[in-house]
Amino acid sequence: MEQQQQKSSAHVSKLFVCTAVDIKDDIEEKFERSFLNLQMQIVGLSDKEMHDILSQIVCKDKQHEEISIGFLYIMLTDPAMAPKTYRDVTLVSRDGMNVIVANLTLLVAEKYTKLTEIARRQLIWVLREFVKHQVLSVENVIWNCLRQAGGGDASHRNLFLIESLLDIFIEFRTWLESNPFLVQSTVYSYVRLIEDHANPALMPLRQKEVKFTISLIRERFHDIIPLGRDFVRLLQNVARIPEFEQLWRDILYNPKSLHPTFNGIWHLLQIRTSRRFLQCRLLPEMERKISFLASSVKFGNQKRYQDWFQDKYFATPESHSLRSDLIRFIINVIHPTNDMLCSDIIPRWAIIGWLISSCTNPIASANAKLSLFYDWLFFDPAKDNIMNIEPGILVMYHSIRNHPFVSSTLLDFLCRITKNFYVKHEDKIRMGVYNSLKLILEKQVIPNIQPLFESSKLDRELRNLIRENFREFLSPATTLSQPLYPSVHSILAHNVKKEIDQRILHGENVDLHGTGISTSHNSVTVFSLVDEDNKLALIPTDKEIESVFSDEAAENLGKLYKIEENTDDDDDLPLSKVRLKEKPKVELAEAIAESFDSFVTKRNSYTWEAFLNDFRPLPASAFEEFQLNYVISNTVLILRETLPQQNMFSESKTEEKYLAKSISYPLYGLFRFLYENDEKSKKPFQTLLSELCESIPEIGYLLLYFMKVYCKLQTRKNSQQSYQFKTTIYRQICDAVDDKVGNCLVRDLDLLEKESTTIYLWLLPDIYREFKSIAINNIDLLRITLRCIDAKNVRDIIYSVAQGKLTIFKQDGLIDCIRESLEFETYEQFCLWQIVQAHDVPLKSIQDLLPELEAGNHPEALSHFLLLFKNEEPTNEIIRLMLSREIKSRGDPFVTSALRFWCQRYEEKLSEIIASLLTSKYPNSSPNKRKRPSKGTSVSSSNPSADQVLNHLEHYRRSCRHGTGTGLYVHDMMQRALQSAYSHSNDGTKKQYSDLFALAAEDDTTAVGRRGGSGRGRKQPVSKKDSNNHSTTSKKNAEIVKTLYSTDENSSEEDWSKPKLTQAAKRRKKAINESD
């Protein structure tokens, strides 16, 4: 019995919490074994003896690891011995504690949940010490600790970890900001955690989190931008906090105040969030379990796993917010292989369907739906993955039969979020959803979408909503069944929908389509970022909104259209009966009645242009409001339906029959009419134009295409007359949508490029010619062009530039354009520089960018600048800007490369420029009067400091191996400049650049000041003999410098970077001094 007790007590761990049934794994065994081994080695020894014996033992790699882990064990389990142990481990460690950090990272990632309470508190102490002493790779441990700070968990243990990490970040803010990835992970994590700390008891912690996070976001916003669209999703959930409300206002209305390169909220929404940030919001243990569920559990056997997961992680009210994190992780991180997709493993859509359907909190449910469809809103087939949108369509498709409630709520949410998420960019959001559905059908993710969109299990109002938003994806019969004329039912439904939207925006509880899912004021930010007036809709109010229509108004509306009330389902009626029943008896003015009826009947360009001829001169007094609405609604519908759904453009750019056919549709008749009639239009015509622009987003780029084709065809018919673009027509379109020409042009060309890259590039020269004041140096147009071109397209653009047919850049403002392009993809930047080079841009127009370029972030720009330098001579301005670049600990290879190249051709000139620049930093050192800048020269603000010049010279010196390139230092002006710098430097600078100052040899040339000769005035003429002596001395100087750089063939990098005077050099120097 005693032996059993001793055996059990021997297995008690101070580091891990173990139960009687737990079996130690390899990690636990490793830590326990290392601790016991260390105890055996140091028991009974004094500190000195312990250090001596351990210093011998750690010479072996295996022993070194065990000793290091043993010390880590003591620091984590014994708070009293921890400071002494930390001192001991710093003395014994041979690798800068790399082994300790690696094993601590593993311990936190795999075993944090099993650590004892003491070990968890000591872990924070160890981390604080590591950060204080800047131990390498400690950020890996911090990142894994951030992962253990779980969301949806308000337990004391979790709050202790969150607050402890926050205290470390606040105390060592400078260290944190030196690691951009850790800054991003910290901000992303704490913005997510703040959402869970709404309990009044947690207000002190929450306020500390908010203050730290807001300051970090504002001060390091350039590091925050890569967090992308999911960061915006998290910001929505905390938007009611005053500090975040102000941040939202700056993001929406004053983005440049956060960072000069930040262009607003759409800038963030276009960036896909990295998987690592989505991963960091799941506990490692939770990640392993959800990955196991998605990769190893058969479909049909998942019930018990889901129940266990529910009990483990969704047991508290705060845990509902975890569902959004899980859905984003499943969609963006778990991408099954083709073999898994074909197997009987539970699919991702089934897991997501379970997470959404089992949610009982309406706010969390709305956020979960947003997480499911979030990638749809910004989907770009060119750069986004179809696996990110596949679960959303499959959840709805597979649920419609047995769980129609799930499909109904998701479809309703998708329709509403498309319109209300960001009203200002509704067209872009709608295009993202359209691209998603289009690619889903192209890739056959589902065989057909009609069983979902046209299911009889959907209520009538939802089917109308789907018909309104996704008409392109419905079957022809369903599309045609849409009434040609407005009905009372559609008008009332629109008003009801408007009322619901308003109530949602103002935070009232509204039951959506009778589904039972109501939205409270807390979930308002899920539906809208900006309201229709471009005002903040992030902070809800409790103001009651009155009903938007009354019974009397509805009765009057019924009288106006003389429609009998009918509650039958029109979907069951033939199309002809629907039109007969709903056709209102509206009488039009005699001037247009006949031509309008003809257009409605025949639907061709000829009847359309005839109607426009009659309609344009009519004033507003010729119409009642309902008559004008009747004309406009039918006109918009016909023009939309007569446009081809596919192959909208000509098959050939040269054959007339294809070109003429492509612009034969009625909408192009409007463009032809505008082209041939320049007079000012009346108000009804302008109203019609505005409605057309709003209902047909493609109208802008179709007008540009029309003008290109029409001018081409007319010029061929009549070669004596030149037909040109009429930009005034396009300006009418812009006025109709009440937007600037530049904004409309970018938006239309963006849509055109997505529709047809070939046509976009075909129109490009005309765009830059006709809209030169807007298009040239336009960074948005440039980005659209660069994202779609390949090598052949770049070649064609360069040909056009060389022939003078295309001008994309001009010198004024080019530097701002290039500055913004530094964030582009590598291939895009290389194409950009090719096009810039084709424009023969002088170096002086872009050289001011040099100090801003970073070696790690802007390799494309630096490469091109270096190639430009090879065709230029060094000048004072270029050298000044180049030496103004930020100093790096390992030097600047760009500066070194440029100096090495110029030294081969312009050594003396380069030496004089740098020497004069260095001398100017010590104005009192020269007896000459300070020179004033000559007229026409501008003194730029980016002047290098003396330390910058010396630093670049020092790193250049280190690059001159075996004496190559050392002639830069032997010239007289450089020698005097180095001596002047040495005499005016403090001891620290002299010590730092001791090897560089050693190059300033004391000879006849450089020691003039020391002999008491006057330095003022011009130098005395040099006799032939003196000239020979001077030449000999210069050669000797060169030999000394060369000797300083000479090294043994077998020396390492560290040896040649710290040159030493050899005996031969000392003898030469002594001989020179004696000759002096």
Side-chain angles (χ1 to χ4, degrees), residues 5-144:
Q5 290 179 352
Q6 290 176 358
K7 186 175 181 180
S8 64
S9 64
H11 286 282
V12 173
S13 173
K14 297 180 181 179
L15 186 59
F16 302 104
V17 176
C18 300
T19 63
V21 296
D22 285 339
I23 300 176
K24 291 183 179 179
D25 61 11
D26 294 340
I27 298 176
E28 296 177 28
E29 288 282 0
K30 182 179 181 180
F31 273 80
E32 299 288 347
R33 184 177 63 251
S34 299
F35 170 67
L36 295 175
N37 182 36
L38 177 63
Q39 290 294 90
M40 292 173 56
Q41 299 288 349
I42 65 174
V43 63
L45 299 178
S46 65
D47 289 349
K48 186 177 184 306
E49 292 172 338
M50 180 186 69
H51 292 158
D52 292 340
I53 191 169
L54 290 181
S55 297
Q56 298 175 5
I57 294 175
V58 296
C59 293
K60 299 178 181 179
D61 290 338
K62 185 177 181 180
Q63 290 292 325
H64 177 259
E65 183 177 9
E66 285 197 351
I67 296 299
S68 299
I69 295 174
F71 277 127
L72 177 59
Y73 189 101
I74 296 173
M75 286 191 289
L76 292 176
T77 58
D78 192 344
M81 291 294 294
K84 178 180 179 300
T85 306
Y86 184 81
R87 183 195 65 194
D88 294 337
V89 77
T90 56
L91 294 174
V92 172
S93 178
R94 297 187 301 111
D95 60 352
M97 290 193 277
N98 185 43
V99 170
I100 292 180
V101 172
N103 281 276
L104 186 58
T105 304
L106 180 66
L107 183 70
V108 172
E110 301 291 337
K111 294 295 176 182
Y112 181 82
T113 55
K114 292 190 68 175
L115 292 179
T116 64
E117 190 67 26
I118 293 176
R120 291 170 191 251
R121 294 184 177 276
Q122 283 302 110
L123 172 64
I124 298 300
W125 181 87
V126 171
L127 287 179
R128 189 182 297 275
E129 293 299 314
F130 281 0
V131 174
K132 182 192 299 183
H133 298 96
Q134 298 192 4
V135 176
L136 293 177
S137 301
V138 68
E139 61 271 11
N140 295 333
V141 189
I142 296 283
W143 189 78
N144 279 281

Side-chain angles (χ1 to χ4, degrees), residues 763-947:
L763 291 178
L764 203 61
D766 300 277
I767 299 300
Y768 275 95
R769 183 184 67 249
E770 302 299 333
F771 299 93
K772 62 176 65 176
S773 61
I774 298 171
I776 292 179
N777 285 358
N778 188 308
I779 189 65
D780 296 316
L781 286 183
L782 186 63
R783 184 65 187 269
I784 296 171
T785 304
L786 293 176
R787 80 184 181 199
C788 69
I789 57 178
D790 56 19
K792 292 181 180 178
N793 302 140
V794 175
R795 176 203 63 191
D796 294 339
I797 290 175
I798 292 176
Y799 287 171
S800 299
V801 172
Q803 296 172 23
K805 297 180 180 179
L806 176 61
T807 302
I808 298 178
F809 300 114
K810 63 180 180 181
Q811 294 185 29
D812 296 338
L814 174 59
I815 189 170
D816 296 323
C817 188
I818 294 179
R819 184 179 288 112
E820 292 190 44
S821 73
L822 296 176
E823 302 296 328
F824 291 2
E825 296 293 334
T826 294
Y827 177 74
E828 294 175 353
Q829 289 195 55
F830 275 119
C831 294
L832 168 69
W833 284 111
Q834 291 285 325
I835 298 171
V836 170
Q837 191 172 359
H839 284 75
D840 294 327
V841 176
L843 180 61
K844 65 181 180 180
S845 63
I846 58 175
Q847 64 188 14
D848 288 341
L849 196 64
L850 277 174
E852 304 174 27
L853 301 178
E854 300 177 7
N857 297 330
H858 310 127
E860 304 87 356
L862 287 173
S863 300
H864 186 77
F865 266 109
L866 192 59
L867 294 177
L868 289 179
F869 284 172
K870 294 188 71 174
N871 298 320
E872 301 283 339
E873 291 187 18
T875 63
N876 293 331
E877 186 68 11
I878 293 177
I879 298 299
R880 179 184 62 77
L881 291 168
M882 194 167 62
L883 296 184
S884 299
R885 290 174 52 78
E886 184 182 353
I887 300 172
K888 300 292 184 181
S889 58
R890 296 185 179 180
D892 190 340
F894 171 76
V895 175
T896 302
S897 302
L899 294 180
R900 290 294 297 270
F901 173 77
W902 278 329
C903 258
Q904 299 173 21
R905 299 185 180 181
Y906 314 105
E907 180 183 282
E908 185 174 356
K909 181 178 181 180
L910 180 64
S911 179
E912 291 177 358
I913 293 173
I914 298 176
S916 62
L917 187 61
L918 180 59
T919 305
S920 67
K921 304 304 165 186
Y922 309 100
N924 296 329
S925 65
S926 175
N928 296 323
K929 291 183 179 179
R930 189 172 183 177
K931 295 181 179 179
R932 297 181 180 178
S934 58
K935 292 183 179 180
T937 61
S938 61
V939 181
S940 177
S941 60
S942 58
N943 282 316
S945 64
D947 190 60

